Amino acid sequence: MTTTSAPTSATPSRSRRVIAITLAIIAALVVAFFVFASLYADWLWYDQLGFDSVLLTQWGARVLMFVIGFLGMALPVWLAIQLAYRLRPVYARLSSQLDRYQEVVEPLRRLAMWGIPVFFGFFAGFAASAQWETTWLWFNGVATETTDPQFHLDTGFYMFALPFWGALVGFASAVLLVCLLVTALVSYLYGSVRVGQRELRISKSARIQLAVIAGLYLLVQGVSLWLDRYRTLVEPGAAGRITGPGYTEANAVIQGQTILAFTAVIVAVLFFVTAVIGRWRYPLIATALLVVSAIVLGVGYPWVVRTFQVQPNQLRLESDYYQRNIEMTKEAYGIDGLDKSDFEAVTDVEPGQLREDAETTASIRIMDPAIISPTVRQQEQYRAYYQFPETLDVDRYEIDGQSQDTIVSVRELDVERLGAASNWQNTTVVYTHGYGLVAAKGNARTDDGFPEFIERGLPTTGVLSAQEDFEPRVYFGENSPPYSIVGAPEGSEPVELDYPSGSDGTSENETRTTFEGDGGPSVGNVFNRLIYALKFQSEQILFSDYVNEESQILYDRDPLSRVQKAAPYLTLDSDPYPSVVDGRIVWIVDGYTLSANYPYSSTVSLQQAISDSSNPAPRFALDDINYVRNSVKATVDAYDGSVKLYAWEPEDPILQTWQKVYPNTIEPITEMSGDLMSHVRYPTDLFKIQRALLGVYHVDDARAFFQRDNAWATPEDPQDAGTYQPPYYLTMQMPGQEQPTYSMFTTFIPSSEGGASRNVMMGYLAVDSNAGGEAGKKSDDYGKLRMLEIAADTPVPGPGQVQNTFNADPAVSAEINILSQGQSDVLNGNLLTLPVGGGLLYVQPVFVQSSGSTQLPTLQRVLVAFGDRIAFENTLDEALDVLFGGDSGADAGDGEITPTPGPTPTPGPTDPAQPTEPTEPAEPTDEYQAALQDAQQAMLDRDAALREGDLTAFAEADDRLTAAVERLIELGAQQ
């Protein structure tokens, strides 16, 4: 007999095993180094900014919460598996199928007994880590000294404690469910639970373990039901009309939840009894009764109360709850101090009507920051690599002792426009910063219709740069390069381009500089250079000779990004703006603390409330809120990027809580200089949120709220249908104010709920936006909301109706046709509304620009309206005089100019590398001037004939107007 020996089993060679292990270790080290590089770069950034405690707090909290979550899940699951396995019946007779299951499971048993808890522990750890802020707010929460009207608990309980207890109950429920699942599985696999022949057999040990876990789970559900009673105060109630419980919720839902909570505890006790006596019938029957009770008490009984008791008597039964909602909503949004007054608006005009409002009319802004950006760009860009935003900002400065509203913007760097010169050296170490701030008067214009600058040029000249130690360089802005490397040893030749100083484009005519601040982490050593070479995936950082021992790397340069990283708990206003404060260009940013858990306060969507024609699609991490405070004012220095946070509303409980979480990161308001105080303003987004609420909550009593017959809405922007009209900043005087002040206003028209909206004015809201000029102290009237409720017996046209009147007026249309002749476009500016002369005055600047590629909007006309009368003239001063019978009684800011007659010329192509000077318009001929006068006279005659109903005179004037326009077009073509 021949035998064949069994083949020797193949084993991996020692060298292959060593190589595999080595490669795995190398890969793990590479991954670990990349993770370390990212974390270390974050540490360097925060440490340089001086907010390293913020990062350390976040890291420590996340790690601690991960450990707690991991152990909170893994230990109970491990214990449940161990108990179920160790207490299994040793001599139980198993079915053949269970024997096969055990054969499969047994080789993996040890791995599963440790792996399953670790698996669930990791998920729970990451989930708990994401809830660290909720936990820290609960632990550091402060009392608000305001109680809710239902349970009389401090509102801090709802904002800080309730979210934490809800998250904890949810976590405990998940842990107990997993424990129940693994216990049942292990018990079944090892015979503690047997199913067969229509019979369920459970061993004593399994019975005790399953019953105890089930009892604990029901106890947790009882706690959850108890907490649900408090959640009703931050959830929609009263058939969705208010947030918070109405009559049905207060008298049916909350009582039902109380009964269910106690019932769940009783059922839990029955499960504990079963663990001792072994009778499953009672807890199972009780569980079924609990489910039926939940349906009856949670759905059926509230439906009966709502249908047969509340709906037939809604106002009587719900009034108290509506009143609660009104008061708590106003408190939560800071509109409880609204100063309302009835306004009997006059619509008739007479000479001298604006005499008492002369200071307001002198400050009316005729330069639209959303239109004149191309003009500023053409006049102030100087080189293609400079840029200005599409919409400029507004601010105010004191000039010769008078407050002057201004249009402002910084001249930022645009490395994308370097063209062929775009290489790493240029975009990183040469072109590193913008230069200067441009400012123009908001209420003035030149003879040619251009802005009247008070600060401009390269190098900068004007009233702002004349300040001592003025720093014009802009290293940190809204459109700065992703990163720049700056700094050099003392005595080194400057490399960074400061600004061009000549017209030939040669390096001899360029001024260069070296950054001397502390604006970014050091890359002066090889290790830091390696870290940032990995971060930005640029080997040039590691090998470039331009990176030296004094080099710093500047990144995350957008003001909003820097403030958000320094104060991650804030929601930031969407409109940061630059200002010159104490000789430095700084970005001023408003920060909000928000909550969605303020009792009885109605919820508003931030995206819907803030969206308008100036900000069409904002996005927020927390969108639905019912509490807001402008708790922090922040500044970002445009030169060195330093961030300062000031506690603007130190009494805000959410801010107080976060100050305990991140101590020593916020400075008191007393540290704000007088110059900074004179430039902070009431924030735009907060005002938009408040006006969204005041459309309904301008009423004070429950009856008016219930009837909803006086609900208002924000009007659409006349220039952008489908979007809301934005609020505008103006220096003006509201009725009841002693003098004009820097304010922001908006208007209201009837709400379109249930039908088409009438575009007539119902309300006018303004807020005092001037914080004063005293260091560390807000002015007494800052943030004062003033509402004019316009009497309905004298209809006042709304913005849409006024714009329609402008567009449809024959005389205006004819003159618009003249302005738009040739290759020109007419642009309507922002439609401003001012309470002057005992009524409401509308003002709209009209700009003309080329329809070609080079656009230079110039102010050519101003439209004004009061009541049902309008005027359309070259200047605001002239328009007001015409509107008010030849003498308005007041002077506007453009009263001393002499507008250049004739159409605005079309500017030709310009070299983007050269500064663009305003194009001088062609001098009109005598024949052209005569034709223009004929057209203007014909328009006036036609308008007068139309008002008097004289159709014959109207037709004759219209023929003369047509002939004059045709003659103007012909003469314009000849020029």
Side-chain angles (χ1 to χ4, degrees):
M1 176 181 292
T2 303
T3 60
T4 303
S5 60
T8 305
S9 59
T11 58
S13 67
R14 183 181 183 86
S15 59
R16 291 176 61 188
R17 183 178 300 170
V18 170
I19 292 173
I21 294 175
T22 302
L23 290 176
I25 292 175
I26 291 174
L29 289 175
V30 169
V31 172
F33 182 75
F34 273 95
V35 173
F36 165 78
S38 177
L39 296 176
Y40 185 62
D42 286 343
W43 160 255
L44 290 174
W45 190 92
Y46 274 93
D47 183 54
Q48 183 279 324
L49 194 64
F51 286 85
D52 51 300
S53 62
V54 172
L55 188 64
L56 291 177
T57 298
Q58 292 180 9
W59 283 355
R62 289 182 183 277
V63 170
L64 180 59
M65 288 299 295
F66 177 86
V67 172
I68 293 174
F70 179 86
L71 295 177
M73 174 66 80
L75 286 179
V77 172
W78 177 84
L79 183 62
I81 293 175
Q82 291 292 328
L83 288 174
Y85 176 75
R86 294 182 182 279
L87 298 178
R88 70 192 185 280
V90 180
Y91 301 106
R93 295 182 58 186
L94 304 178
S95 65
S96 58
Q97 187 175 16
L98 281 178
D99 282 334
R100 288 194 296 271
Y101 287 161
Q102 287 190 8
E103 290 176 2
V104 174
V105 171
E106 191 61 28
L108 302 174
R109 178 176 57 80
R110 291 184 179 276
L111 177 62
M113 293 180 70
W114 290 96
I116 290 175
V118 170
F119 174 78
F120 284 106
F122 268 106
F123 277 100
F126 286 121
S129 178
Q131 292 289 331
W132 78 267
E133 290 183 332
T134 301
T135 305
W136 259 242
L137 284 175
W138 162 73
F139 187 77
N140 294 282
V142 300
T144 66
E145 299 182 358
T146 301
T147 58
D148 77 89
Q150 179 66 33
F151 296 105
H152 307 292
L153 297 175
D154 189 276
T155 55
F157 167 78
Y158 298 92
M159 292 194 288
F160 307 129
L162 186 59
F164 168 76
W165 291 117
L168 182 61
V169 166
F171 181 85
S173 297
V175 171
L176 291 169
L177 280 176
V178 173
C179 289
L180 192 63
L181 176 64
V182 297
T183 298
L185 180 62
V186 173
S187 298
Y188 176 72
L189 286 175
Y190 289 95
S192 297
V193 175
R194 285 174 285 174
V195 181
Q197 298 179 353
R198 299 182 180 179
E199 186 179 20
L200 175 65
R201 293 179 178 271
I202 303 177
S203 68
K204 180 180 179 180
S205 59
R207 182 195 74 217
I208 294 173
Q209 186 172 348
L210 289 171
V212 169
I213 295 175
L216 291 174
Y217 178 78
L218 282 166
L219 276 180
V220 171
Q221 299 317 300
V223 175
S224 179
L225 287 165
W226 186 261
L227 292 177
D228 285 343
R229 301 160 65 249
Y230 303 115
R231 291 194 186 97
T232 59
L233 270 72
V234 295
E235 295 175 345
R241 292 180 65 94
I242 64 172
T243 295
Y247 182 88
T248 302
E249 289 78 16
N251 293 277
V253 174
I254 292 177
Q255 282 77 358
Q257 291 168 337
T258 304
I259 295 172
L260 289 174
F262 284 108
T263 304
V265 173
I266 294 172
V267 176
V269 172
L270 291 177
F271 272 102
F272 295 145
V273 171
T274 294
V276 177
I277 66 175
R279 298 294 183 94
W280 288 96
R281 178 179 303 173
Y282 301 121
L284 293 179
I285 293 174
T287 301
L289 291 176
L290 178 62
V291 173
V292 174
S293 299
I295 297 174
V296 173
L297 296 175
V299 180
Y301 181 52
W303 178 84
V304 171
V305 172
R306 184 180 303 111
T307 303
F308 298 104
Q309 192 172 358
V310 174
Q311 290 182 355
N313 308 282
Q314 189 166 352
L315 178 59
R316 180 175 62 84
L317 296 180
E318 300 277 25
S319 290
D320 290 343
Y321 304 99
Y322 291 161
Q323 196 65 42
R324 293 178 179 182
N325 175 251
I326 292 171
E327 294 172 0
M328 297 296 282
T329 297
K330 289 184 175 183
E331 164 65 24
Y333 290 98
I335 56 178
D336 50 335
L338 177 67
D339 182 8
K340 295 191 298 182
S341 59
D342 295 331
F343 188 60
E344 296 284 346
V346 302
T347 56
D348 297 330
V349 298
E350 60 183 32
Q353 193 164 339
L354 301 184
R355 187 164 288 111
E356 295 183 1
D357 299 292
E359 290 187 69
T360 296
T361 57
S363 301
I364 296 176
R365 178 166 48 78
I366 55 176
M367 283 292 155
D368 188 344
I371 288 183
I372 66 169
S373 179
T375 303
V376 174
R377 189 179 305 120
Q378 286 291 325
Q379 294 187 314
E380 292 296 316
Q381 186 170 343
Y382 289 94
R383 291 292 189 270
Y385 49 76
Y386 287 129
Q387 63 178 321
F388 292 93
E390 290 299 320
T391 299
L392 308 185
D393 291 294
V394 295
D395 199 359
R396 73 276 191 202
Y397 291 91
E398 185 172 311
I399 301 175
D400 297 329
Q402 297 293 323
S403 179
Q404 173 65 60
D405 289 6
T406 56
I407 311 297
V408 298
S409 178
V410 294
R411 186 183 290 104
E412 291 203 58
L413 185 65
D414 184 6
V415 294
E416 299 296 327
R417 299 291 298 275
L418 289 176
S422 181
N423 54 58
W424 184 87
Q425 178 179 324
N426 278 338
T427 59
T428 305
V429 300
V430 176
Y431 295 90
T432 59
H433 61 280
Y435 193 93
L437 179 139
V438 174
K441 294 181 179 180
N443 63 335
R445 48 164 286 187
T446 66
D447 292 349
D448 298 322
F450 294 113
E452 183 178 319
F453 293 101
I454 62 172
E455 182 72 28
R456 65 182 305 182
L458 288 176
T460 57
T461 58
V463 296
L464 305 182
S465 55
Q467 299 182 29
E468 186 178 356
D469 299 327
F470 176 70
E471 176 53 69
R473 296 167 185 85
V474 181
Y475 283 88
F476 294 84
E478 293 179 293
N479 297 289
S480 297
Y483 72 95
S484 296
I485 296 178
V486 299
E490 186 176 354
S492 300
E493 182 179 354
V495 175
E496 303 172 50
L497 176 67
D498 209 15
Y499 59 86
S501 55
S503 59
D504 57 2
T506 61
S507 59
E508 289 79 7
N509 289 313
E510 292 177 343
T511 303
R512 295 184 178 270
T513 188
T514 298
F515 180 76
E516 297 179 351
D518 182 15
S522 170
V523 284
N525 60 69
V526 175
F527 185 72
N528 283 10
R529 291 166 71 172
L530 174 61
I531 292 296
Y532 283 105
L534 292 174
K535 178 177 178 64
F536 292 106
Q537 300 181 14
S538 174
E539 70 280 0
Q540 293 93 335
I541 296 176
L542 193 59
F543 300 113
S544 174
D545 293 336
Y546 287 96
V547 184
N548 54 72
E549 65 272 15
E550 298 295 329
S551 291
Q552 304 172 38
I553 184 166
L554 312 181
Y555 64 98
D556 286 342
R557 301 160 76 173
D558 174 48
L560 290 181
S561 298
R562 295 182 76 80
V563 175
Q564 191 69 81
K565 293 180 73 171
Y569 52 89
L570 294 178
T571 296
L572 303 182
D573 193 273
S574 56
D575 186 25
Y577 58 99
S579 189
V580 176
V581 176
D582 299 319
R584 311 276 291 193
I585 300 175
V586 299
W587 295 92
I588 300 177
V589 182
D590 286 284
Y592 307 111
T593 45
L594 310 175
S595 177
N597 296 291
Y598 198 83
Y600 264 115
S601 175
S602 287
T603 300
V604 67
S605 166
L606 278 180
Q607 184 173 12
Q608 294 179 9
I610 294 174
S611 177
D612 58 26
S613 60
S614 65
N615 188 21
R619 293 181 178 274
F620 301 94
L622 177 61
D623 186 51
D624 292 327
I625 64 164
N626 66 0
Y627 175 93
V628 61
R629 287 292 184 272
N630 175 212
S631 53
V632 172
K633 298 284 187 182
T635 62
V636 178
D637 192 290
Y639 182 74
D640 61 20
S642 57
V643 175
K644 292 184 178 180
L645 308 174
Y646 300 97
W648 188 250
E649 293 194 28
E651 68 281 0
D652 172 39
I654 299 181
L655 179 63
Q656 292 175 3
T657 301
W658 281 117
Q659 284 182 294
K660 294 172 68 176
V661 176
Y662 296 115
N664 305 318
T665 58
I666 300 180
E667 300 181 28
I669 191 175
T670 53
E671 295 298 316
M672 298 179 70
S673 69
D675 200 12
L676 176 57
M677 294 293 292
S678 68
H679 289 284
V680 298
R681 67 192 189 191
Y682 200 79
T684 309
D685 287 352
L686 176 59
F687 189 67
K688 292 179 184 178
I689 295 170
Q690 290 173 329
R691 76 173 178 182
L693 268 298
L694 284 171
V696 173
Y697 287 91
H698 62 275
V699 300
D700 296 319
D701 63 274
R703 178 177 292 276
F705 179 84
F706 171 75
Q707 292 174 346
R708 203 64 74 93
D709 60 345
N710 194 26
W712 299 344
T714 304
E716 289 188 353
D717 190 329
Q719 313 307 321
D720 190 358
T723 62
Y724 290 135
Q725 184 181 38
Y728 298 113
Y729 290 99
L730 282 178
T731 294
M732 64 179 187
Q733 183 173 350
M734 285 281 285
Q737 283 185 291
E738 296 181 357
Q739 61 184 6
T741 187
Y742 192 65
S743 305
M744 182 167 43
F745 77 87
T746 190
T747 58
F748 293 97
I749 61 174
S751 174
S752 59
E753 292 181 8
S757 174
R758 295 170 57 236
N759 204 288
V760 295
M761 287 274 282
M762 299 299 295
Y764 185 95
L765 176 68
V767 61
D768 192 326
S769 302
N770 182 31
E774 185 177 349
K777 182 180 179 181
K778 288 185 278 188
S779 67
D780 294 336
D781 286 338
Y782 172 84
K784 182 66 175 179
L785 291 164
R786 294 180 171 88
M787 172 80 78
L788 302 180
E789 294 185 315
I790 300 171
D793 53 354
T794 305
V796 177
Q801 194 177 134
V802 170
Q803 188 67 63
N804 181 73
T805 301
F806 284 163
N807 296 339
D809 185 87
V812 173
S813 299
E815 198 155 349
I816 292 293
N817 290 334
I818 296 174
L819 292 174
S820 61
Q821 65 173 306
Q823 297 180 350
S824 298
D825 291 330
V826 175
L827 305 176
N828 291 327
N830 39 213
L831 184 59
L832 306 178
T833 313
L834 296 95
V836 294
L840 290 165
L841 172 71
Y842 285 93
V843 177
Q844 183 175 59
V846 177
F847 297 81
V848 177
Q849 72 173 16
S850 166
S851 58
S853 58
T854 303
Q855 297 179 337
L856 194 70
T858 58
L859 180 60
Q860 292 296 309
R861 297 287 191 275
V862 179
L863 276 163
V864 293
F866 193 95
D868 58 355
R869 295 180 62 88
I870 67 171
F872 187 47
E873 300 298 329
N874 293 323
T875 68
L876 175 59
D877 200 58
E878 293 176 3
L880 292 177
D881 284 341
V882 170
L883 184 66
F884 290 95
D887 180 16
S888 66
D891 295 325
D894 61 350
E896 297 181 359
I897 71 160
T898 304
T900 302
T904 301
T906 301
T910 59
D911 182 358
Q914 302 297 330
T916 303
E917 295 297 333
T919 306
E920 291 294 334
E923 284 294 329
T925 64
D926 292 342
E927 187 178 359
Y928 187 95
Q929 186 65 37
L932 182 61
Q933 292 176 355
D934 290 344
Q936 292 174 337
Q937 186 60 48
M939 284 189 291
L940 293 174
D941 293 343
R942 191 178 68 163
D943 188 34
L946 183 64
R947 286 197 299 270
E948 295 173 2
D950 189 344
L951 298 182
T952 302
F954 176 84
E956 186 272 333
D958 189 63
D959 291 339
R960 286 191 286 117
L961 176 60
T962 302
V965 170
E966 291 175 351
R967 199 157 73 250
L968 283 169
I969 295 175
E970 181 181 352
L971 292 172
Q974 292 175 3
Q975 292 181 8

